[in-house]
Amino acid sequence: EAGVTQFPSHSVIEKGQTVTLRCDPISGHDNLYWYRRVMGKEIKFLLHFVKESKQDESGMPNNRFLAERTGGTYSTLKVQPAELEDSGVYFCASSQLGFEQPQHFGDGTRLSIL
Amino acid sequence: AQSVTQLGSHVSVSEGALVLLRCNYSSSVPPYLFWYVQYPNQGLQLLLKYTSAATLVKGINGFEAEFKKSETSFHLTKPSAHMSDAAEYFCAVSDGNDMRFGAGTRLTVKP
């Protein structure tokens, strides 16, 4: 089966610009998660979708971040306008429903804000 | 609220030596615990998981971890390190809703 795919793998933009990250989960996985890792620190939770609904968005830093998952398939994470502190690696993960189900991760998008 | 503490951001061992990566968790409910590994420029791969069955969990690549409730620990071990084990390792805890990760431990294996 195809794994979780993320696009782009790298993005370099200037402060104030807009960037949209995309995640395609494993087919059939209703859970979709976004995480961010900044400069070797811990992987921080951003938000969790169950199908197309936001289950938990408590980790979203501020209203410059907007996540969508229309139709319950792929998801996008938009940052507008980007700030320097938004730099980091953004990971997407998906899993089947069920408490013990492990999350399957994409390779991440490395975002650099200049 | 749940959290994970990984003791030691960097661990260095010689090839063939024991690998021990430490993880302590905090959870208000019986936890699900995971170890993930990340190789350079890749996503996280699941090594093993604890879901309230056997307390000693065996994973891929010869790794295993033991759940100790009294110590709130879930340390990762491997009897004999291989050069290919060099990577970053993450411990994670889930309360059934969302997962929280530790800061990671980078393992270096010396020839």
Side-chain angles (χ1 to χ4, degrees):
Chain A
E1 71 181 358
V4 177
T5 56
Q6 292 187 245
F7 182 82
S9 56
H10 291 83
S11 181
V12 181
I13 63 171
E14 293 186 350
K15 175 183 172 181
Q17 291 185 319
T18 298
V19 62
T20 300
L21 314 181
R22 173 169 171 146
C23 169
D24 286 76
I26 293 173
S27 178
H29 282 194
D30 288 335
N31 285 320
L32 188 149
Y33 305 84
W34 283 98
Y35 297 90
R36 177 173 72 177
R37 190 178 193 209
V38 176
M39 283 298 291
K41 297 189 177 180
E42 76 267 27
I43 298 170
K44 297 204 79 171
F45 167 81
L46 296 179
L47 87 158
H48 170 203
F49 285 99
V50 177
K51 298 184 181 179
E52 67 274 11
S53 300
K54 291 177 184 174
Q55 180 78 8
D56 181 354
E57 54 183 330
S58 61
M60 295 287 264
N62 50 61
N63 59 10
R64 295 186 293 104
F65 289 75
L66 175 64
E68 294 180 327
R69 192 183 182 193
T70 307
T73 54
Y74 72 91
S75 174
T76 58
L77 179 65
K78 180 190 287 188
V79 184
Q80 179 182 28
E83 298 290 343
L84 297 178
E85 64 265 24
D86 301 332
S87 295
V89 180
Y90 290 76
F91 290 104
C92 175
S94 71
S95 73
Q96 295 177 323
L97 293 177
F99 294 157
E100 77 286 3
Q101 294 296 328
Q103 296 180 18
H104 300 263
F105 282 76
D107 288 345
T109 293
R110 185 173 298 276
L111 179 61
S112 298
I113 313 299
L114 304 180
Chain B
Q2 51 190 355
S3 65
V4 172
T5 301
Q6 290 184 240
L7 300 176
S9 58
H10 289 84
V11 170
S12 181
V13 300
S14 298
E15 190 173 19
L18 171 72
V19 176
L20 171 60
L21 305 183
R22 299 178 186 274
C23 171
N24 288 87
Y25 70 90
S26 171
S27 178
S28 57
V29 299
Y32 299 98
L33 295 160
F34 304 82
W35 275 100
Y36 284 85
V37 60
Q38 185 184 22
Y39 298 101
N41 298 316
Q42 295 185 23
L44 279 70
Q45 300 174 32
L46 180 68
L47 271 179
L48 50 81
K49 64 178 182 179
Y50 166 77
T51 57
S52 76
T55 56
L56 182 62
V57 182
K58 294 188 183 298
I60 62 172
N61 301 338
F63 284 93
E64 62 182 35
E66 186 172 9
F67 172 67
K68 292 187 176 181
K69 184 179 179 180
S70 61
E71 298 177 9
T72 61
S73 70
F74 190 57
H75 301 329
L76 182 71
T77 60
K78 181 174 181 177
S80 177
H82 191 273
M83 296 297 291
S84 61
D85 295 328
E88 192 159 17
Y89 293 78
F90 295 89
C91 182
V93 61
S94 171
D95 62 359
N97 289 314
D98 296 306
M99 189 175 291
R100 297 293 183 267
F101 287 85
T105 297
R106 185 169 299 279
L107 176 66
T108 302
V109 182
K110 299 175 291 186

